[in-house]
Amino acid sequence: MTVADTNNFFQKQEGNGPGSAVEPTASEISQGFTTITKNPDPLPKLFQPKTIRGLTLKNHMVLSPMCMYSATDGFATNFHLAHIGQYAIRGVGMIMMEDTGVLPEGRVTPTCLGLWKDEQIGKLSEIVNLAHANNAAIGIQLTHGGRKSSTATMWLRRKEGILVDSEKGGWPDKVVGPSAVPYADDWWHPKELTVEEIHHIQQSFADSAVRAEKAGFDVIELHAAHGYLFHQFLSPISNKRTDKYGGPLDNRARMLVETVRRIRKVWSQEKPLFVRISVTDWVAPSDEDPTGGWKEEDSIELAKLLAKEEVDLIDCSANGLSPKQIIPPLVPGFQVPFAAAIKKNVPDILTAAVGYITEAKQANDILEEGKADLIYLGRVMLRNPNFVLDAAAQLGVFPQYPHQYEKGRNKTQITLY
């Protein structure tokens, strides 16, 4: 990971960076910074390094991509620098930046990030450099919202409604999908994409991947989940096409597979490529839609296709395609079985588990039991940005702290400066 201009406003951390396991020194032990004299051998898997292609993560914890709705015309802002920076400083192995539109009309909201023009690279490079200075890997999630585009910033929806019209900066006349089927009757009614328009969007993903490379990102993740454009092509609920992009699973997956091929041509072979999917639509079969939409067995077949296309990891989420979804009770780790199922059935591809993973032991057990290869942490990180360093203490690991925060370690005795 390359760092540019590190003396601008931060100092590069030594060793493997905050959040990596280090052996406590005699001085640290005598000062009461730890009650252990040596780290466990072997280390808990959560704190072991993980290598994917040419990238080595210092631990197995990833900040899940979460929309912050704080961009201006797609440009990252100082909020993003502060937001991402706190996780780099506090030891996350990899940060996945939020979904980023490859076209202005591909954003979900007017305040989402974008990477459709070169001018947007600069601020993102600054964020990447801050992550790398702390030896945190950093990825970016590329997306097109399809029929769920031109919607309101999340915290404005109660006051202003879900949809954003042209007078408020939206683009309802440019909302598209695989078919002219809206998410719901009171949402924007999308225009069905032509084959030429599909190819234009695919190339826009590749062009954004080139910009991501220039910005210095370590990983690209394609967002094919939560009801956005790739997911809309995958699910028979939203894809009613009769051409080569509709019908059988291989055809419905074609939009995504062809995009992966374009990206792999321009994205470094040393750098990983991830895909986030909704493993299931969680929609029950009905007279209106007897298929029940996209299901776990479909995701397993998709994973096989993507493994052949040099995708390295499937980030296993769920739902978001239909308002008729029936989400089961939110018990701890409720989506982990999806990652385990794909890992079991498609050994040639890695998986990430996500969804109500809130405790260090829980996260480590998922890895130790072979249910997933990485742990994505979302809302729990918003509540506790110090999750990684706290997890180390809970698992009996002595972690490297950011140099500037060393004084903040828990101590068993009081010592002066």
Side-chain angles (χ1 to χ4, degrees):
M1 290 179 279
T2 303
V3 182
D5 193 20
T6 59
N7 293 320
N8 188 13
F9 55 89
F10 49 78
Q11 293 179 328
K12 182 168 171 52
Q13 302 287 336
E14 296 175 356
N16 291 327
S20 59
V22 293
E23 294 300 331
T25 64
S27 174
E28 288 166 331
I29 295 169
S30 67
Q31 291 183 72
F33 281 121
T34 178
T35 58
I36 66 170
T37 58
K38 186 174 177 58
N39 279 321
D41 185 15
L43 285 167
K45 210 160 190 178
L46 196 62
F47 282 92
Q48 293 178 16
K50 178 67 176 178
T51 298
I52 308 172
R53 291 189 183 255
L55 178 68
T56 297
L57 310 182
K58 59 190 174 186
N59 59 51
H60 281 63
M61 286 166 278
V62 181
L63 177 70
S64 197
M66 292 176 284
C67 292
M68 293 290 109
Y69 310 106
S70 299
T72 302
D73 187 33
F75 283 81
T77 63
N78 284 338
F79 172 85
H80 295 95
L81 182 66
H83 168 64
I84 296 301
Q86 67 180 322
Y87 297 105
I89 290 168
R90 293 175 184 273
V92 178
M94 182 167 71
I95 295 158
M96 188 63 71
M97 286 197 70
E98 64 202 76
D99 75 15
T100 302
V102 299
L103 288 165
E105 64 271 21
R107 291 171 294 167
V108 177
T109 78
T111 52
C112 285
L113 279 178
L115 196 48
W116 66 80
K117 53 187 174 183
D118 290 350
E119 291 82 359
Q120 291 162 332
I121 295 172
K123 191 69 175 184
L124 292 173
S125 294
E126 195 176 336
I127 294 167
V128 167
N129 288 335
L130 176 54
H132 287 172
N134 290 275
N135 283 324
I138 183 166
I140 190 166
Q141 187 185 68
L142 300 180
T143 193
H144 191 297
R147 68 181 188 174
K148 294 180 82 172
S149 296
S150 196
T151 58
T153 298
M154 196 61 65
W155 55 82
L156 298 178
R157 291 185 176 186
R158 288 184 181 178
K159 181 173 64 174
E160 300 182 2
I162 293 174
L163 305 181
V164 180
D165 60 25
S166 55
E167 292 183 359
K168 294 184 178 180
W171 47 93
D173 57 330
K174 295 182 179 179
V175 173
V176 296
S179 303
V181 179
Y183 174 74
D185 289 340
D186 56 350
W187 282 57
W188 300 127
H189 284 240
K191 172 183 171 292
E192 181 173 311
L193 287 163
T194 66
V195 171
E196 182 180 359
E197 289 168 336
I198 289 172
H199 293 166
H200 172 66
I201 291 173
Q202 290 173 328
Q203 187 56 44
S204 296
F205 273 93
D207 293 343
S208 292
V210 171
R211 296 185 185 102
E213 182 93 59
K214 290 178 180 178
F217 285 101
D218 303 300
V219 177
I220 284 174
E221 179 171 279
L222 298 183
H223 198 346
H226 302 165
Y228 299 134
L229 187 61
F230 287 130
H231 188 183
Q232 293 161 29
F233 271 88
L234 292 172
S235 178
I237 292 174
S238 46
N239 186 345
K240 306 298 184 183
R241 300 177 75 98
T242 57
D243 63 3
K244 66 179 182 178
Y245 290 100
L249 187 149
D250 283 5
N251 281 5
R252 287 182 279 119
R254 190 184 304 274
M255 167 64 160
L256 176 58
V257 168
E258 289 180 349
T259 304
V260 166
R261 289 174 185 165
R262 290 190 187 226
I263 289 175
R264 262 293 165 217
K265 288 180 180 178
V266 299
W267 184 242
S268 171
Q269 286 295 313
E270 290 298 303
K271 294 185 175 184
L273 176 60
F274 295 178
V275 176
R276 169 168 273 196
I277 66 171
S278 286
V279 177
T280 177
D281 290 340
W282 265 328
V283 173
S286 65
D287 291 340
E288 182 182 355
D289 186 11
T291 67
W294 185 259
K295 300 179 286 296
E296 182 179 304
E297 53 264 36
D298 300 320
S299 291
I300 290 170
E301 293 307 309
L302 176 64
K304 293 175 183 178
L305 293 175
L306 295 177
K308 294 176 182 177
E309 302 296 338
E310 300 184 87
V311 169
D312 299 287
L313 177 142
I314 302 293
D315 170 10
C316 301
S317 190
N319 66 70
L321 191 281
S322 170
K324 296 178 181 178
Q325 63 193 14
I326 303 172
I327 300 175
L330 299 182
V331 298
F334 73 109
Q335 294 181 138
V336 172
F338 296 141
I342 290 178
K343 186 172 174 62
K344 177 182 177 181
N345 288 281
V346 193
D348 295 334
I349 203 162
L350 303 175
T351 66
V354 65
Y356 216 162
I357 301 171
T358 60
E359 302 292 338
K361 183 179 185 303
Q362 175 197 14
N364 189 64
D365 286 349
I366 292 166
L367 298 170
E368 298 283 1
E369 293 167 10
K371 295 178 179 177
D373 299 284
L374 290 178
I375 302 296
Y376 274 43
L377 300 162
R379 289 172 174 83
V380 68
M381 284 285 201
L382 296 180
R383 294 191 294 272
N384 178 19
N386 215 51
F387 182 92
V388 173
L389 300 177
D390 290 349
Q394 292 162 20
L395 295 175
V397 172
F398 189 75
Q400 182 174 329
Y401 257 57
H403 302 319
Q404 298 91 334
Y405 291 4
E406 279 282 358
K407 289 182 289 188
R409 284 187 189 270
N410 287 327
K411 300 181 69 173
T412 58
Q413 61 188 54
I414 300 297
T415 55
L416 299 178
Y417 292 101

